[in-house]
Amino acid sequence: MQQFANPTRFLAIANKALPLIWVLTIILFAIGLYGALVTAPPDYQQGETVRIMFVHVPAAWLAMLVYTVMALASAVAIIFRHPLADVAAKSAAPIGAVFCFLALATGSLWGKPMWGAWWVWDARLTSMFVLFLLYVGYIAIWQAIEEPGRAAMIARIVALVGFINIPVIKFSVDWWNTLHQPASVLRMDGSTIDWSIRWPLLVLGLAYTLLFLALHLMSMRSEIAARKLRNLQIARSGEA
Amino acid sequence: MDWNADHAGFVTAAYALSLVLVAGLIMYVFNRDARIRKRLAQFEKAKK
Amino acid sequence: MTLLAALLRRDLILAARQGGGAGTALGFFLAVLVLLPIGIGPDQATLQRLAPGILWITLLLSVLLSADRIFQQDFEDGSLEVMAMAPPSLELVALTKAVAHWLSTSLPLSIAAPFLGILLNLRTEVIWPLALAMILGSFALSLLASIGASLTLNIRRGGLLISILVLPLYVPILVFGMSATTGNPEMINPSLLILAAITLASFVLAPIAAAAALRAYLK
């Protein structure tokens, strides 16, 4: 791990890997979308609407994965004082927020024809909404605190407190939902998912993950450059 | 995909929205990367 | 220990003399309680059904409203730095200040709330479970508010940020608080026990998080 600690080393690796990741992302998206829109059969109950799942579910996966990445990076930043960890956490947040918003929005578009309402206070929707709030809070902290070192320290705590809280929220909204209304939500039974539906979903999930990886590496690259720029500017204003 | 099925508009909307947001995100990341690295290059050149 | 006791006493006296913390929160609480029936309509059955939820949400918002005061003043006049250098660890200082906030603001509110609920035609058999759950939950509310307050210590317009940061932390308390109040016939029910568990976990974790955030600002 230590060899990635050096930003120069990281940049060299990232620059080399990025074109390959982009190409793979595009290929996987092409295959996945073909599977999702062409070969996958319409659901006998949900009809064509089921195809929304192929963009909805990967977005939801990624929203959770990206927050996990953020929390892990924040933990690494606290424990090992790794110089790139804060950069990684900060760069991941806006990407995760977009995926989270996409999951909510496409879920809403799925819900309208299925449940007859744009928004249902179902346990999953609620915890996803809270996750979105966590993203917003994390991003807002970076925006609000000007001193980068301090912003990094505060942001680490925000990410970790949020991460500890996620299972508690999940547990509580499940509890809350079963208390208020019995599960009336359409549920996909794991065993009934046909392979023709499952493979485009998995391919698209992988495509989203690679897309995140590519965007994350690029954002980290910009962030490292931005920090360097800032240091140079400070150094110059010190000379003048 | 049967584009004339019931609720096909919702499917289109979901895919279109995903496309727009992901494309927007990609453009934002690319622009930011290009902008910052250009400024850094200018700065380093000016310093020399 | 005596130092912490002195700090607690000082904070309570300050809160009582200034009337800022508890006073504003209580004023807000009463305002909501008076305005809500006017907004919803005077129908007794509707109010009775909504009463526990309204009381919980109002308690939550009142605590949130007074949250930024937990550390702000001491940070601005420099006494927080003195406390950071004192023998008790910053974690214990943060815990003490959260306890002071609980005793001066959240606890009085949570004791008063079930009885103010009479204004909302609250079912009488709910009053005691509600009081118990609120007293227990309000401690967690204060502890979690101290996390939010420490994170936004020196941020201009930190009020909005504090709400976004603390809101997710309050979701479980609202859920189990409500369920402990209305979901069960017995006084000591599983939801109340879970609420107690959340309070205990916050008791341990909140001071650690708050102290870490305070250190970032005191550097």
Side-chain angles (χ1 to χ4, degrees):
Chain A
M1 249 344 254
Q2 276 305 311
Q3 57 187 349
F4 297 110
N6 185 340
T8 330
R9 188 81 178 255
F10 166 80
L11 284 178
I13 297 171
N15 284 338
K16 225 177 269 172
L18 266 171
L20 182 70
I21 298 173
W22 276 118
V23 170
L24 271 175
T25 309
I26 293 167
I27 295 173
L28 281 176
F29 262 108
I31 300 172
L33 285 176
Y34 177 77
L37 289 173
V38 182
T39 62
D43 190 76
Y44 76 100
Q45 254 185 336
Q46 304 189 30
E48 299 287 355
T49 330
V50 76
R51 295 186 199 279
I52 295 177
M53 178 185 75
F54 295 114
V55 284
H56 169 72
V57 174
W61 284 343
L62 262 287
M64 291 185 277
L65 176 77
V66 175
Y67 201 91
T68 313
V69 168
M70 260 169 61
L72 282 179
S74 303
V76 168
I78 287 181
I79 299 166
F80 300 108
R81 317 245 161 228
H82 197 300
L84 279 174
D86 286 319
V87 174
K90 185 189 177 186
S91 308
I95 309 172
V98 169
F99 282 129
C100 195
F101 180 80
L102 260 183
L104 286 171
T106 52
S108 179
L109 282 167
W110 198 1
K112 180 64 185 165
M114 286 300 104
W115 310 324
W118 292 107
W119 185 267
V120 181
W121 285 101
D122 155 67
R124 267 193 204 185
L125 271 78
T126 312
S127 45
M128 212 58 187
F129 187 73
V130 174
L131 183 64
F132 186 66
L133 277 183
L134 290 175
Y135 274 119
V136 172
Y138 182 84
I139 296 169
I141 278 289
W142 278 105
Q143 300 287 331
I145 306 175
E146 275 176 29
E147 213 273 296
R150 175 176 297 161
M153 287 171 79
I154 298 293
R156 288 173 204 161
I157 304 168
V158 172
L160 286 178
V161 168
F163 192 65
I164 294 171
N165 204 37
I166 285 176
V168 185
I169 293 172
K170 187 90 193 70
F171 173 59
S172 70
V173 292
D174 281 340
W175 179 289
W176 161 72
N177 194 256
T178 47
L179 187 84
H180 280 243
Q181 55 177 95
S184 60
V185 182
L186 256 167
R187 215 155 265 165
M188 300 276 289
D189 212 341
S191 55
T192 59
I193 299 185
D194 189 72
W195 179 243
S196 62
I197 291 174
R198 212 189 310 170
W199 78 256
L201 193 59
L202 291 175
V203 171
L204 276 173
L206 201 58
Y208 270 63
T209 312
L210 281 175
L211 176 68
F212 162 66
L213 189 64
L215 290 174
H216 192 207
L217 286 177
M218 283 193 73
S219 304
M220 282 177 73
R221 190 169 75 180
S222 325
E223 187 61 32
I224 292 169
R227 287 185 180 199
K228 211 167 151 192
L229 189 65
R230 194 188 137 86
N231 287 340
L232 285 173
Q233 278 168 339
I234 289 172
R236 192 172 70 171
S237 60
E239 284 164 23
Chain B
M1 174 77 205
D2 174 13
W3 293 105
N4 296 316
D6 284 352
H7 308 306
F10 287 98
V11 182
T12 321
Y15 278 79
L17 187 72
S18 302
L19 182 71
V20 168
L21 278 182
V22 168
L25 181 67
I26 292 174
M27 261 154 57
Y28 167 76
V29 170
F30 267 78
N31 281 337
R32 181 166 177 266
D33 191 52
R35 193 182 66 231
I36 292 175
R37 292 207 302 165
K38 200 175 125 200
R39 273 184 46 203
L40 185 65
Q42 277 175 350
F43 209 91
E44 280 175 335
K45 219 165 76 184
K47 221 176 83 172
K48 273 170 197 158
Chain C
M1 209 53 216
T2 47
L3 274 172
L4 292 176
L7 177 63
L8 183 65
R9 213 176 132 241
R10 165 187 173 274
D11 272 18
L12 289 177
I13 291 173
L14 275 177
R17 299 254 164 95
Q18 291 172 333
T24 321
L26 193 66
F28 177 76
F29 201 101
L30 284 173
V32 173
L33 233 52
V34 173
L35 289 176
L36 257 169
I38 298 175
I40 295 171
D43 179 41
Q44 294 284 347
T46 315
L47 283 179
Q48 185 165 64
R49 201 167 53 82
L50 295 178
I54 291 174
L55 291 169
W56 265 107
I57 291 168
T58 317
L59 175 72
L60 239 102
L61 293 179
S62 311
V63 174
L64 205 56
L65 191 74
S66 60
D68 56 342
R69 250 172 264 142
I70 300 178
F71 300 109
Q72 189 116 45
Q73 232 172 17
D74 285 341
F75 177 70
E76 278 165 3
D77 65 15
S79 37
L80 199 63
E81 291 205 34
V82 180
M83 291 170 204
M85 281 185 286
S89 69
L90 199 53
E91 279 81 4
L92 287 175
V93 171
L95 178 64
T96 309
K97 293 193 78 69
V99 170
H101 180 261
W102 179 55
L103 289 175
S104 67
T105 309
S106 319
L107 185 63
L109 277 180
S110 59
I111 291 172
F115 300 99
L116 290 171
I118 291 165
L119 287 173
L120 297 174
N121 196 24
L122 184 73
R123 289 205 330 270
T124 39
E125 66 266 30
V126 176
I127 290 182
W128 291 109
L130 184 66
L132 190 63
M134 275 192 161
I135 288 168
L136 203 57
S138 63
F139 191 29
L141 292 181
S142 278
L143 286 162
L144 296 174
S146 78
I147 299 183
S150 61
L151 286 171
T152 56
L153 189 57
N154 197 18
I155 297 177
R156 267 171 296 134
R157 295 187 303 276
L160 173 68
L161 206 49
I162 227 180
S163 319
I164 297 176
L165 292 175
V166 173
L167 210 71
L169 303 175
Y170 277 5
V171 169
I173 296 173
L174 182 59
V175 168
F176 290 113
M178 273 303 286
S179 143
T181 311
T182 56
N184 290 282
E186 321 96 71
M187 191 97 142
I188 307 292
N189 51 54
S191 302
L192 191 76
L193 294 179
I194 296 173
L195 193 64
I198 293 176
T199 307
L200 283 176
S202 321
F203 184 77
V204 177
L205 295 175
I208 296 174
L214 290 179
R215 283 201 188 93
Y217 280 107
L218 290 173
K219 246 180 203 163

